[in-house]
Amino acid sequence: MRQEHLQIPMIDLKRTHKPIESDLQSAFNRVLGNNSYILGKEVEALEKKCADYLNVKYAIGTSSGSDSLLLALMALDIKPGDEVICPTYTFFATAGAISRLGAIPVFVDIDPQSYNLSLKGVKKAITKKTKAIIPVHLFGQCADMTPLLELGKKKKIAIIEDAAQAFGAKSPGEMAGSMGDFGCFSFFPSKNLGGFGDGGLLTTQDPELYERAKILRAHGAKPKYYHHLIGGNFRLDALQAALLAVKLPMVNNYAFKRQQIAKAYTSHLLESDLATLKGQENGKPINLPVQVQEDSFHVWNQYVIQLTEADKRASLQEYLKQRGVATAIYYPLPLHWQTCFSDLGYKKGDLPVAELASQTTLALPIFPEMTEAECAYVAEHIQQFFYS
Ligand SMILES: *Cc1c(COP(=O)(O)O)cnc(C)c1O
């Protein structure tokens, strides 16, 4: 059977933006006429809308997800020599923010089913110097927050949610970013609520932390030119805020569509008899991602499969590329193996679940406008690779 050759990118922002083009244009024109391009009423309006949607008391627009993390740690007064626990299997920014303050990232392994921070690992890593824990809601699924929040409360350790990939996600009953001392979001274009450049959001329920973070966002000044703290320039642009406000009402709908694509991938690949769901591994070549906690809301920023044989990954990736299907590896090197952290003394085998994941996972294209036919095309070529 000869198939039509499709080109399927990881994400297709042009398709996402086409139906809202005129609304984006008018938001752009509004800012153009405002004479105010940084913070201001556009940013305040977005902060208010995001706070309502995310069910938090306070939201602060920032320059990026990375800067949201840095700002959270600064507001919590994390100092040189303090220890901050985070997963080793995440985007670099989670740990980079810790190191930039002279604090020590303490890397912990992940849960094999969810790819999120392992609670057992966290418990073992806590010392007298532990000041904060950063669970990451990886790929759009919340980490198991209830025991972490209890632990944080009991031991007086701050919890910072890295919710960069999880705008709109829910832990049973609670919105991502509303549970910890801080929630850190990114508006990087490929995130579930993506802007048109860099941007981010910091959320909190605590009025004092909010006040500190807000001051730190603009060089620690209040009022302007009177500096109480040493902050930085972590501000969001009015233009980003105005454009993001156009996309915000769509974010649940985007998540539902992503869920449908995830469901379609899962049923195609299960039908092919090549795959099993994660948590039920039985030697089949592919393990499929699952929503681990019932009553949660997984927003599927990524659909990540795991191969049983590591040496198949590069050839599968190449096979799909030849057939027009983009894939990506999140993440090829766990953080405890990164050169920049070599002086922390981690060795091969220290965090085995993450090490294996870094060698065997592959992210497939997923975006709200992806069609059922495109989904079937990807699944079919994965099948052909294994049967050929
Ligand atoms: C994208 C991302 C960040 C950083 O966000 P930027 O806006 O790109 O700075 C941090 N943590 C995780 C888990 C991310 O995926």
Side-chain angles (χ1 to χ4, degrees):
M1 188 179 69
R2 256 190 74 87
Q3 257 183 331
E4 185 195 358
H5 194 90
L6 301 178
Q7 287 293 332
I8 309 175
M10 284 299 288
I11 180 168
D12 190 343
L13 293 168
K14 276 203 286 201
R15 265 199 257 176
T16 303
H17 296 145
K18 195 79 198 148
I20 52 172
E21 204 175 289
S22 69
D23 289 345
L24 292 169
Q25 295 280 2
S26 28
F28 180 86
N29 290 338
R30 191 176 69 237
V31 175
L32 201 61
N34 273 351
N35 207 24
S36 162
Y37 303 128
I38 295 169
L39 297 179
K41 63 182 182 191
E42 295 287 348
V43 172
E44 281 166 26
L46 180 76
E47 289 172 342
K48 176 78 181 64
K49 284 180 192 156
C50 286
D52 288 347
Y53 175 79
L54 296 168
N55 201 22
V56 293
K57 289 208 181 82
Y58 308 102
I60 302 173
T62 67
S63 34
S64 69
S66 304
D67 286 343
S68 294
L69 287 159
L70 190 58
L71 203 46
L73 292 165
M74 288 170 80
L76 289 163
D77 206 19
I78 300 301
K79 289 197 171 68
D82 289 344
E83 292 178 2
V84 178
I85 293 171
C86 73
T88 187
Y89 190 65
T90 173
F91 180 58
F92 176 78
T94 316
I98 302 166
S99 291
R100 282 182 60 186
L101 295 175
I104 302 159
V106 176
F107 294 116
V108 158
D109 211 346
I110 51 168
D111 168 72
Q113 207 183 354
S114 66
Y115 301 106
N116 280 327
L117 196 56
S118 146
L119 181 68
K120 220 168 94 189
V122 171
K123 285 183 176 162
K124 269 197 288 185
I126 291 177
T127 74
K128 286 201 176 68
K129 291 186 188 166
T130 308
K131 292 287 154 56
I133 302 170
I134 311 183
V136 179
H137 304 320
L138 202 69
F139 305 145
Q141 165 157 252
C142 283
D144 187 6
M145 290 301 288
T146 310
L148 272 178
L149 292 166
E150 275 170 19
L151 196 64
K153 206 166 171 186
K154 198 171 92 190
K155 306 242 175 190
K156 296 197 167 42
I157 297 170
I159 307 288
I160 301 169
E161 297 174 64
D162 182 340
Q165 299 181 10
F167 195 98
K170 271 187 211 158
S171 193
E174 308 284 345
M175 295 297 289
S178 75
M179 297 169 274
D181 295 273
F182 279 113
C184 303
F185 293 91
S186 164
F187 297 135
F188 186 79
S190 68
K191 306 296 161 100
N192 279 44
L193 179 58
F196 297 77
D198 281 312
L201 192 78
L202 183 65
T203 54
T204 183
Q205 310 278 23
D206 182 311
E208 278 168 39
L209 289 178
Y210 166 69
E211 212 36 56
R212 267 179 75 82
K214 203 172 163 183
I215 292 171
L216 286 164
R217 176 176 66 174
H219 291 296
K222 191 190 178 181
K224 212 170 177 181
Y225 309 123
Y226 292 83
H227 299 266
H228 301 261
L229 301 163
I230 300 173
N233 175 357
F234 304 127
R235 299 176 303 230
L236 181 65
D237 293 343
L239 190 56
Q240 289 304 335
L243 297 171
L244 284 160
V246 172
K247 292 181 78 178
L248 178 62
M250 248 81 75
V251 80
N252 269 349
N253 200 24
Y254 292 157
F256 290 135
K257 288 181 173 168
R258 287 171 175 274
Q259 286 169 353
Q260 279 168 8
I261 292 151
K263 218 167 139 187
Y265 271 140
T266 297
S267 62
H268 282 303
L269 291 166
L270 283 178
E271 255 168 50
S272 73
D273 209 33
L274 285 166
T276 24
L277 298 176
K278 273 198 78 77
Q280 310 174 0
E281 284 89 341
N282 59 1
K284 287 189 184 165
I286 308 169
N287 301 303
L288 303 175
V290 289
Q291 176 180 302
V292 174
Q293 299 187 79
E294 268 183 58
D295 304 319
S296 60
F297 192 72
H298 189 332
V299 295
W300 295 98
N301 182 249
Q302 298 296 340
Y303 186 92
V304 176
I305 62 170
Q306 184 167 29
L307 305 180
T308 302
E309 291 175 67
D311 61 1
K312 287 263 168 33
R313 182 170 70 176
S315 44
L316 173 60
Q317 197 170 25
E318 183 55 31
Y319 185 93
L320 292 173
K321 188 178 163 200
Q322 296 292 328
R323 286 150 187 85
V325 178
T327 55
I329 296 169
Y330 304 121
Y331 297 90
L333 202 61
L335 296 183
H336 69 288
W337 283 357
Q338 297 287 347
T339 309
C340 66
F341 295 130
S342 59
D343 59 347
L344 295 175
Y346 291 91
K347 297 182 305 296
K348 293 221 154 140
D350 281 349
L351 304 169
V353 182
E355 290 169 17
L356 182 67
S358 71
Q359 288 157 0
T360 51
T361 57
L362 191 65
L364 305 182
I366 187 165
F367 50 95
E369 300 72 22
M370 194 174 174
T371 63
E372 168 60 32
E374 287 174 317
C375 210
Y377 180 90
V378 177
E380 206 156 302
H381 284 294
I382 292 173
Q383 222 169 307
Q384 278 176 21
F385 169 80
F386 282 101
Y387 287 132
S388 63

